[in-house]
């Protein structure tokens, strides 16, 4: 692609295995001729007073300006007086929806072979309000906050996404039989939005029942939308169905059209720097980023190459039972491009 | 057993299929010669002002006096101005621990064949406080309450149970990385109790990771203890692994040594009265009740007979893919006694 057509995207390689898997993405994007120019940012070594965290102000500005980015794993440094890096990103960039497509990878066997669903998680409030206090000695409380604004926003995104991706059904996950006011408001907002999408089936499923149905028959679900903590739980459960967080992409949608894709697995310090890491989650996240940019051709090509490489099984990293290095796996994908 | 040795136990047959599956338990207890005298109580048709619910004061008094009981499914009547029957029981009887053994049933195939774990759920507080309000229009909050007293109480029970049942490990499930104060207090209490049981391995697992591990490899877990909502979610997830709520027993432990065993599935009004219901969950719950009474011989005999009948597969109810009636299934179990 010619210089002038390049889209600038922020890249946070992150910690641990982050730089190695980010390298894999950069290579594959080059071979696939993706019109992306990366602007790399690293987690700082000191707290930036403007962000109260190890994330620099400049790195956040970069995402705000580019409106699109990709993020590797970030290990929040131990110690007090600063916020988790992931939570800081969500808050500072107003990343209100966390979207995780989760589908069975052809050729990679788990107990489930028919998973094909999307979890869409409210990412800014709910049980993650950070509002907690001790009432009296031995009695503590946490506040779960649900607002009409944030609920409508994530519901709108879920239905928009469902329609854009040809999905048939949106399930709102809740516990409104117990939390009638908070989860009740969340459901009310989902229902309001659902009315604007008569072509999409809308249903409401209680979270405990949802988890039971997911492990019995995940094919029952299509797009799921839910408050923050339920999304945290259910997205990991779904990742488990298809093999774990090393295989699932994630993309955070923020106000003003921001999309920050991320691998949600850890930084795996034990294997960092050893050329052993599996770049799949970051690669599939970069595919989500491309789709957000409507670069569906590039997205399809890369996704196909990744899936084919895994399906063939000749080159697989250790976490998938193989013996390949990150580099060998990456080359195999490039060969498929 | 002679009259004088009889132990009185309260029986709530419950609604829908409740009376049929309760009948099955009564028959099997007779054939197995269990020294139990049932005191039956029914859900009222009007609100009892002393309980503010359709549960009569007398029925609660019966459990308080007998200290042991068995409960079928109860459908909370629709309408305002009264509390859910299940929540009323938990609150009024101070049923602080909900214990659900969950194990793969030999011969009944699911995707998992190595499940053998116990979930122990705090049953009185947490996200179920009922404290909710609207802060301003469009902003609502729910309070999650964690107390030292209730956390210690359920942790004590979990370790006591683990030891009494020869279990090796207790995992406390939490989200203390986000809810540092509430879940943090819960963990602190678990740690305190764990110190008194050096022979039992204690670990802490974040709930999202726990759900992923459970669907990937449930054999990693033994006894799990957790706050109310996590217990609600995880116990249903685990039930799903082995086939659903129709197969899993449950027992509620209350202050003063009360044990109220219950089938946690619904009342299935669609098949009520048709002799089609599967009594397994209520039967295995009655086994939990017998174990609580230290009647392990009787418990073993009934449990074996139920499991053998299911394993043989000749007599199975419709929910398990069979064609037997409740009566036929019950007779088959009696034949095994
Ligand atoms: C690390 C943790 C704070 C985070 C969360 O709870 O949201 C993680 O589990 C996730 O899902 O991104
Ligand atoms: C019916 C509902 C209130 C109840 C709960 O949430 O506790 C149920 O799911 C259970 O697990 O017993």
């Amino acid at each position: 692609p010619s210089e002038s057509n390049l889209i600038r995207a922020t890249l946070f390689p992150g910690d641990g295995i982050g730089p190695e898997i980010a390298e894999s993405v950069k290579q594959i994007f080059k071979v696939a001729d993706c019109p992306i120019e990366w602007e790399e940012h690293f987690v700082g070594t000191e707290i930036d007073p403007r962000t109260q965290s190890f994330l620099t102000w400049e790195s956040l500005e970069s995402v705000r300006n580019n409106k699109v980015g990709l993020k590797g794993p970030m290990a929040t440094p131990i110690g007090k007086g600063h916020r988790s890096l992931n939570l800081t990103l969500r808050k500072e960039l107003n990343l209100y929806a966390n979207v995780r497509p989760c589908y069975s990878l052809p050729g990679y066997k788990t107990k489930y072979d028919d998973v094909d669903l999307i979890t869409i998680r409210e990412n800014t409030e709910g049980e993650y309000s950070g509002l907690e206090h001790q009432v009296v000695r031995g009695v503590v409380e946490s506040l779960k906050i649900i607002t009409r604004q944030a609920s409508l926003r994530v519901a709108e995104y879920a239905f928009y996404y469902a329609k854009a991706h040809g999905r048939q059904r949106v399930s709102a996950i809740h516990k409104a039989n117990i939390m009638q006011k908070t989860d009740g408001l969340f459901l009310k907002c989902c229902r309001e939005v659902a009315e604007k999408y008569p072509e999409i089936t809308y249903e409401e499923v209680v979270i405990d029942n949802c988890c039971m149905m997911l492990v019995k028959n995940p094919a029952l679900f299509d797009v799921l939308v839910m408050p923050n903590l339920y999304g945290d739980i259910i997205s990991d459960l779904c990742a488990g169905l298809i093999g774990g967080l090393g295989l699932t992409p994630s993309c955070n949608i923020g106000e003003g059209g921001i999309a920050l894709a991320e691998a949600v697995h850890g930084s795996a310090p034990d294997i960092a720097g050893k050329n052993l890491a599996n770049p799949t989650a970051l690669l599939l996240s970069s595919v989500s980023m491309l789709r957000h940019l409507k670069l569906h051709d590039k997205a399809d090509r890369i996704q196909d190459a990744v899936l084919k490489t895994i399906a063939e099984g000749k080159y697989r990293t250790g976490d998938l039972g193989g013996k390949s290095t990150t580099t060998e796996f990456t080359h195999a994908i490039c060969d498929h491009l």
Side-chain angles (χ1 to χ4, degrees), chain A:
Chain A
S2 86
E3 287 275 321
S4 60
N5 289 332
L6 289 182
I7 300 165
R8 283 180 146 220
T10 307
L11 177 63
F12 292 100
D15 304 309
I17 56 172
E20 295 160 80
I21 58 178
E23 192 50 46
S24 169
V25 172
K26 286 193 279 182
Q27 263 186 46
I28 287 166
F29 268 46
K30 218 174 254 163
V31 175
D33 226 18
C34 292
I36 301 290
E37 180 184 25
W38 296 112
E39 198 173 287
E40 283 193 56
H41 281 275
F42 300 90
V43 177
T45 50
E46 277 171 35
I47 293 177
D48 185 324
R50 292 164 298 175
T51 66
Q52 290 172 54
S53 104
F54 287 82
L55 285 165
T56 64
W57 179 257
E58 288 71 24
S59 67
L60 298 183
E61 277 297 290
S62 165
V63 185
R64 284 193 196 101
N65 291 332
N66 296 333
K67 293 203 184 307
V68 65
L70 180 66
K71 168 187 167 293
M74 287 180 184
T76 294
I78 313 277
K80 295 264 161 172
H82 60 87
R83 293 185 288 171
S84 133
L85 301 181
N86 289 311
L87 297 188
T88 303
L89 280 169
R90 291 176 201 170
K91 201 126 213 170
E92 293 293 327
L93 300 174
N94 228 326
L95 301 174
Y96 65 83
N98 178 242
V99 182
R100 298 206 200 164
C102 187
Y103 46 86
S104 300
L105 299 186
Y108 182 67
K109 237 188 110 47
T110 70
K111 293 181 194 292
Y112 300 85
D113 54 16
D114 54 355
V115 183
D116 179 17
L117 52 81
I118 318 277
T119 61
I120 299 186
R121 162 185 182 183
E122 201 294 319
N123 219 11
T124 64
E125 57 176 32
E127 307 78 357
Y128 284 62
S129 72
L131 299 169
E132 290 189 295
H133 71 280
Q134 175 174 302
V135 183
V136 294
R137 234 178 119 79
V139 179
V140 287
E141 60 186 33
S142 300
L143 287 176
K144 165 170 169 171
I145 309 285
I146 297 285
T147 68
R148 184 170 157 77
Q149 192 219 348
S151 303
L152 278 177
R153 183 167 70 168
V154 74
E156 296 277 9
Y157 191 78
F159 279 93
Y160 157 79
Y161 184 100
K163 186 165 185 181
H165 291 77
R167 298 269 170 178
Q168 314 293 324
R169 180 208 300 258
V170 171
S171 311
I173 313 304
H174 68 96
K175 189 79 194 177
N177 46 340
I178 296 298
M179 282 162 280
Q180 304 183 350
K181 293 199 178 159
T182 47
D183 286 6
L185 175 57
F186 184 82
L187 287 184
K188 192 165 171 291
C189 293
C190 290
R191 276 175 217 153
E192 272 181 49
V193 177
E195 283 190 3
K196 296 191 277 176
Y197 291 84
E199 69 280 25
I200 292 174
T201 306
Y202 171 68
E203 63 170 5
E204 296 169 356
V205 184
V206 179
I207 180 161
D208 45 341
N209 190 31
C210 175
C211 290
M212 183 161 63
M213 287 163 77
L214 276 169
V215 301
K216 287 183 78 168
N217 186 4
L220 293 171
F221 292 99
D222 195 347
V223 175
L224 298 89
V225 62
M226 56 223 136
N228 212 336
L229 181 68
Y230 308 158
D232 180 50
I233 294 171
I234 287 189
S235 60
D236 270 32
L237 187 168
C238 291
L241 300 177
I242 66 121
L245 292 180
L247 300 172
T248 48
S250 160
C251 189
N252 297 285
I253 303 299
E255 288 287 4
I258 285 179
L260 181 62
E262 66 171 330
V264 289
H265 55 67
S267 58
D270 50 320
I271 59 161
K274 297 187 178 154
N275 200 16
L276 295 173
N278 181 356
T280 301
L282 195 64
L283 278 164
L284 295 180
S285 298
S286 75
V287 167
S288 286
M289 187 191 94
L290 292 172
R291 292 204 191 284
H292 182 83
L293 293 168
K294 307 244 184 287
L295 297 170
H296 289 293
D297 280 3
K298 301 291 181 195
D300 287 343
R301 262 185 80 199
I302 295 178
Q303 180 169 341
D304 286 353
V306 173
L307 297 188
K308 262 191 202 129
T309 307
I310 292 174
E312 285 177 3
K314 201 171 155 200
Y315 297 99
R316 278 186 188 171
T317 47
D319 57 316
L320 301 187
K323 291 208 154 85
S324 301
T325 61
T326 311
T327 325
E328 286 161 354
F329 180 70
T330 304
H331 286 167
I333 295 169
C334 290
D335 286 345
H336 277 297
L337 280 169

